[in-house]
Amino acid sequence: AQSITWTSGFQVQNLGSSSANIVIKYYNQDGTQPIADVSDTVPAMGSKTYYPIHTADGFNGSVVVERDQPIVAIANTLGNNPQYAASTESFSAGATTVGLPLIMRANGGYYTWFNVQNAGSSAANVTVNYIKGSAGNDYTEPAVTISPGAAHTFSQRDLSQLDAKFVGSAVVTSNQPIVATVMQVGEPFKNLMGYNGFTGGSTTVNMPLIMSANSGYYTGFQVQNVGTAATTVTIKYGTNLAGSFAPVDQTATLQPQQSTTFLQAGAGWTQKYVGSATITTTGQPVVAIVNQVKQTGVALGTAYNGFDPGKATSKVSAPLIMANNSGYYTGIQIMNVGSSATTITVDYGTNTAGSFAPPNETATLQPGDSYNSIQNSGAWTGNKYVGSLSVSASGGGEVVMIVNQIWPGASGDQFMTYDGFNY
């Protein structure tokens, strides 16, 4: 993308009760493998970081990790390090239809590009259909063929068929299961926000962290109707953790595959709010992503995927948690998506960077409310930590979580978010 040089690293967490044997396979975009498979082990409930990755400079492709224990992973994507940074989650499986709620071309200086990876066992014929929301033309790209394990890049910056400005969504279809990851690139603000495509939707979507006027930070979320008929979406906001302002409910009607934006800035959002939000529909499945943005000083941006509460469990894990790690630290936001109050326990894993052992944390959450913990004060002060965590909810409670990674002192956008993994 223009003059940006992209690099990446990834973190693998073992959720099993014994050491995991993993095999890492790298694929060029033409389906060939640039290096031999890499074998390694990851300790039980531990994690390992692969940065730099094993391939030589110039590699542009995808990764498949095979294992004998349940694992999850995150990928951190860096552009002109430390100018741009984004974090996204691994996939355990794909689907033949993937929804992308927010696709842009020349939208106030933002554009998108995304990679589609073939998660099947034979060649995939992949088609992308763009659906305008507030601006641009609908357009279907010619089909491309992607080899098993490989990925293909679709860039909207120079796609003139979308018109001078495009803000909308996309649907990716294939004859093989596929997965997709989207990067939103800000040119004037020089920030990066990454999210994963959705392999299905739900009539309720939970978003653990929503903000307005929060020390310069605010959010905006994009909701896409992935159903077959029009639906009305209703947004209800959770308890304000930072003040008394209580946002009013919001609604919108979406046609099939269409998306729309709800922005927590400007009219109606001049007061401070830190909380959560829940989307419900009149019967059709939807998906949503949340962008967290700060455009004063050093511009920062990050994104995360909204959650289907039907996939929530009483346990959720995070492969990468940090404190005082060369300027980086993390913050977690845990949301109770169940129908009754639950008590959560946050258990931190082994410190791979020192001897500091973080104490467990507990909190009681009402339905729809969130718990926030930031690893940069209190017991964390002056102590370096690089590890993982797991959260458990009492009484079979159902929770979801996001993890923010940030280096506030960086000269660029070192702000990244990934979704916790329910297991």
Side-chain angles (χ1 to χ4, degrees):
Q2 288 192 295
S3 59
I4 300 175
T5 299
W6 299 102
T7 58
S8 59
F10 57 96
Q11 186 113 2
V12 178
Q13 182 183 20
N14 176 9
L15 302 180
S17 58
S18 59
S19 180
N21 298 300
I22 66 171
V23 177
I24 303 170
K25 298 174 178 287
Y26 291 87
Y27 291 91
N28 294 313
Q29 290 209 354
D30 63 5
T32 60
Q33 292 189 254
I35 61 172
D37 295 349
V38 178
S39 297
D40 202 357
T41 59
V42 182
M45 292 307 299
S47 61
K48 277 196 175 180
T49 299
Y50 300 94
Y51 181 79
I53 59 176
H54 303 91
T55 55
D57 289 350
F59 172 73
N60 178 13
S62 52
V63 167
V64 174
V65 183
E66 299 177 349
R67 77 289 186 271
D68 61 2
Q69 292 288 319
I71 62 169
V72 293
I74 61 168
N76 286 339
T77 300
L78 307 174
N80 291 350
N81 192 19
Q83 185 61 69
Y84 300 90
S87 187
T88 51
E89 310 82 30
S90 62
F91 296 88
S92 59
T96 54
T97 301
V98 174
L100 309 179
L102 182 54
I103 297 297
M104 298 178 288
R105 179 176 191 251
N107 179 30
Y110 283 90
Y111 68 92
T112 53
W113 59 268
F114 59 87
N115 269 25
V116 176
Q117 184 181 16
N118 181 356
S121 57
S122 59
N125 296 314
V126 176
T127 300
V128 180
N129 183 29
Y130 299 94
I131 303 98
K132 68 179 179 181
S134 60
N137 298 318
D138 292 351
Y139 176 66
T140 299
E141 285 207 60
V144 299
T145 300
I146 305 175
S147 298
H152 179 83
T153 301
F154 296 85
S155 177
Q156 290 72 60
R157 189 179 187 281
D158 298 316
L159 195 61
S160 60
Q161 292 89 340
L162 296 180
D163 210 350
K165 178 180 180 180
F166 180 86
V167 182
S169 56
V171 177
V172 188
T173 56
S174 171
N175 62 333
Q176 289 287 309
I178 54 173
V179 296
T181 294
V182 181
M183 294 293 161
Q184 308 168 68
V185 184
E187 292 186 300
F189 296 109
K190 296 192 181 301
N191 55 13
L192 181 70
M193 298 169 281
Y195 72 88
N196 280 344
F198 292 84
T199 56
S202 55
T203 56
T204 300
V205 175
N206 297 114
M207 299 174 289
L209 181 55
I210 300 295
M211 299 179 289
S212 68
N214 183 28
S215 301
Y217 290 89
Y218 65 92
T219 53
F221 55 89
Q222 191 88 0
V223 184
Q224 181 185 16
N225 176 5
V226 294
T228 57
T231 196
T232 297
V233 297
T234 299
I235 317 300
K236 290 184 178 295
Y237 295 91
T239 301
N240 190 347
L241 303 178
S244 59
F245 169 58
V248 298
D249 295 352
Q250 295 178 281
T251 62
T253 298
L254 297 174
Q255 298 301 313
Q257 312 307 328
Q258 188 184 32
S259 68
T260 192
T261 303
F262 294 86
L263 187 65
Q264 288 75 61
W269 289 96
T270 58
Q271 300 180 67
K272 185 174 183 179
Y273 176 81
V274 179
S276 56
T278 298
I279 304 169
T280 56
T281 80
T282 52
Q284 292 295 307
V286 298
V287 297
I289 65 154
V290 180
N291 285 335
Q292 305 174 65
V293 179
K294 179 177 179 289
Q295 293 179 335
T296 56
V298 176
L300 302 175
T302 185
Y304 70 87
N305 289 44
F307 293 87
D308 173 0
K311 297 179 180 178
T313 61
S314 61
K315 292 185 177 181
V316 60
S317 73
L320 180 58
I321 298 294
M322 298 178 288
N324 299 296
N325 183 30
S326 301
Y328 285 96
Y329 63 87
T330 51
I332 60 173
Q333 190 93 355
I334 304 163
M335 183 178 184
N336 177 6
V337 300
S339 58
S340 59
T342 188
T343 298
I344 60 168
T345 300
V346 181
D347 184 11
Y348 294 92
T350 301
N351 189 350
T352 63
S355 59
F356 171 62
N360 290 351
E361 300 170 22
T362 61
T364 298
L365 297 178
Q366 298 300 317
D369 285 348
S370 290
Y371 168 77
N372 177 262
S373 177
I374 301 177
Q375 289 74 55
N376 74 334
S377 61
W380 301 94
T381 303
N383 290 309
K384 184 175 182 178
Y385 177 83
V386 179
S388 56
L389 68 74
S390 61
V391 178
S392 58
S394 66
E398 298 173 333
V399 292
V400 296
M401 175 178 65
I402 65 164
V403 180
N404 282 334
Q405 311 167 67
I406 190 167
W407 174 16
S411 58
D413 173 30
Q414 293 297 296
F415 187 23
M416 302 164 280
T417 306
Y418 67 89
D419 288 4
F421 294 88
N422 287 92
Y423 67 103

